[in-house]
């Protein structure tokens, strides 16, 4: 009996030694349920008065979805963050869009139900928490919409490839039908996805779809719609410029924890974005499974430290459900479910090493050479001008330093008038 007890204790300790704890986490989620952003021209439900809130806004369902997700995050990270909000522990950022800002607010309400002296109004169990944002046109990190000349050139080149055109041509018949029935020109995957999303929202809110839509939605539209989330990060350089700034920021926060540069490092970063955000990150990292990111779809980046070795690992978790389904651990390509931090950084160096502002200043190769030659010509002209001016100045100085001889003129009074 004694030997058996010792054996049990040994096994328990062995498992305990192998445990890992979360030292930092970055959470990226999509907003909750919303109304259609822009109904198509022939949409029978395009009258905004038929909807509970204005177009593109978060609904009560969306608020409840994110409040529930916030409660789940509280349970998941109860050992990482304090019960009361601490700005040194948690940083929240959202795109500058009403539905993402409101989703973040609802999520935080679920994460931080006030208690004790955090209750400022007993009739309102809610406490304001700061959410940071930037205008979308200035935000390359989360909105991913800041202009990048290099990216624009690379994407244009990509959509003109035979591979892209050949694949898209398979849906030409579908796009023709959608153009006919919606009254809107449908030309690519993004256009198909816009119609798919509108029909999805209308079906969620129990609006009867037109007969043509019932024949096409969801089965005929789902494939090309979900494929649209691969096109923005289709090539390594496109993925680098689109998602690099966000992943660089997350990896940088992890590195701060590991190196202990800051005695009070951030513990949790929360990013409130869109399906576009989720799809871009997953596809850029080789983790996209082809399914459209649903409302509240969430990616978890977790920096884990193994208790026995004190080594650091990255664990990625995904939740693509608005229900109670638990998130599942992702297999990081060529690394597995628990990827050593250094290996993780090495695998995704193409993304995290980005120098976005420098790389986005696109220069045409021949133009770069021409500009360099012009700069050299201007420099030569300036140097020659300076040299010439110095030579002339030296000659003038020399001339002035020589004695001046004058010939005396004898006055002739006889010549005076």
């Amino acid at each position: 009996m004694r030997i058996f007890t010792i054996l049990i204790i040994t096994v328990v300790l062995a498992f305990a030694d192998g445990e890992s704890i979360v030292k930092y986490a970055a959470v990226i989620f999509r907003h909750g349920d919303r109304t259609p952003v822009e109904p198509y021209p022939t949409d029978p439900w395009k009258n905004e008065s038929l909807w509970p809130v204005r177009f593109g806004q978060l609904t009560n369902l969306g608020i409840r979805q994110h409040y529930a997700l916030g409660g789940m995050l509280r349970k998941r990270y109860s050992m990482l963050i304090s019960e009361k909000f601490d700005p040194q522990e948690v940083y929240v950022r959202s795109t500058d869009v009403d539905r993402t800002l409101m989703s973040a607010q609802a999520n935080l309400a679920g994460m931080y139900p006030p208690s004790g002296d955090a209750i400022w109004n007993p009739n309102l169990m809610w406490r304001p928490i700061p959410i940071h944002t930037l205008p979308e046109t200035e935000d390359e990190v989360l909105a991913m919409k800041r202009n990048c000349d290099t990216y624009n050139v690379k994407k244009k080149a990509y959509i003109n490839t035979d591979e892209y055109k050949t694949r898209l041509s398979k849906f030409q018949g579908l796009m023709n039908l959608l153009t006919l029935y919606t009254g809107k020109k449908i030309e690519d995957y993004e256009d198909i996805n816009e119609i798919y999303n509108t029909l999805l929202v209308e079906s969620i809110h129990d609006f009867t779809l037109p007969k043509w839509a019932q024949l096409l939605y969801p089965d005929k539209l789902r494939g090309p719609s979900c494929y649209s989330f691969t096109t923005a990060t289709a090539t390594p350089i496109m993925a680098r410029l689109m998602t690099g700034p966000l992943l660089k920021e997350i990896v940088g926060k992890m590195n701060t924890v590991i190196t202990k540069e800051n005695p009070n490092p951030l513990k949790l970063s929360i990013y409130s974005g869109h399906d576009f955000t989720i799809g871009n990150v997953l596809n850029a990292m080789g983790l996209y499974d082809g399914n459209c990111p649903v409302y509240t779809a969430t990616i978890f980046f977790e920096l884990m430290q193994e208790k026995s070795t004190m080594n650091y690992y990255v664990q990625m978790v995904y939740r693509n459900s608005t229900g109670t389904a638990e998130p599942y651990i992702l297999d990081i390509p060529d690394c597995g479910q628990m990827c050593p931090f250094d290996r993780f950084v090495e695998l995704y160096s193409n993304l995290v090493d980005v120098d976005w502002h420098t790389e986005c200043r696109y220069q045409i190769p021949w133009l770069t050479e021409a500009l360099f030659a012009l700069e050299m010509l201007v420099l030569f002209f300036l140097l020659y001008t300076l040299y010439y001016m110095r030579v002339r100045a030296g000659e003038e100085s020399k001339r002035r330093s020589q004695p001046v001889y004058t010939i005396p003129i004898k006055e002739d009074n006889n010549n005076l008038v």
Side-chain angles (χ1 to χ4, degrees), residues 280-298:
N280 283 343
V281 171
L282 290 176
N283 193 64
M285 301 184 71
L287 295 168
Y288 183 56
D289 62 4
N291 293 308
C292 298
V294 301
Y295 295 134
T296 73
T298 308

Side-chain angles (χ1 to χ4, degrees), residues 89-139:
E89 290 184 348
V90 181
Y91 174 83
V92 186
R93 179 168 178 169
S94 171
T95 59
D96 190 25
V97 178
D98 288 354
R99 58 183 176 274
T100 54
L101 288 161
M102 293 173 66
S103 291
Q105 292 170 355
N107 195 286
L108 291 167
M111 283 185 67
Y112 290 100
S115 60
D117 59 6
I119 299 176
W120 59 277
N121 184 339
N123 297 318
L124 181 61
M125 300 304 290
W126 169 82
R127 187 172 182 83
I129 292 173
I131 299 169
H132 304 268
T133 191
L134 278 176
E136 289 190 293
T137 55
E138 299 175 18
D139 184 6

Side-chain angles (χ1 to χ4, degrees), residues 20-25 76-77 79-80 302-305:
S20 297
I21 56 174
V22 181
K23 302 296 289 185
Y24 166 81
R76 187 175 186 89
Y77 298 121
M79 301 300 291
L80 181 65
E302 296 177 338
L303 179 66
M304 314 291 291
Q305 187 177 36

Side-chain angles (χ1 to χ4, degrees), residues 166-185:
T166 300
R167 193 184 193 286
L168 183 63
S169 67
K170 297 177 182 178
F171 300 101
Q172 190 59 57
L174 175 64
M175 291 189 289
N176 291 341
L177 283 175
L178 290 175
T179 299
L180 174 66
Y181 285 118
T182 65
K184 178 180 179 179
K185 183 65 175 176

Side-chain angles (χ1 to χ4, degrees), residues 51-75:
W51 295 87
V53 293
R54 291 192 179 277
F55 287 142
Q57 297 293 310
L58 195 70
T59 64
N60 283 344
L61 174 59
I63 295 172
R64 290 193 296 270
Q65 289 170 342
H66 261 288
Y67 184 83
L69 178 59
M72 191 208 80
L73 294 178
R74 159 56 56 191
K75 292 179 181 178

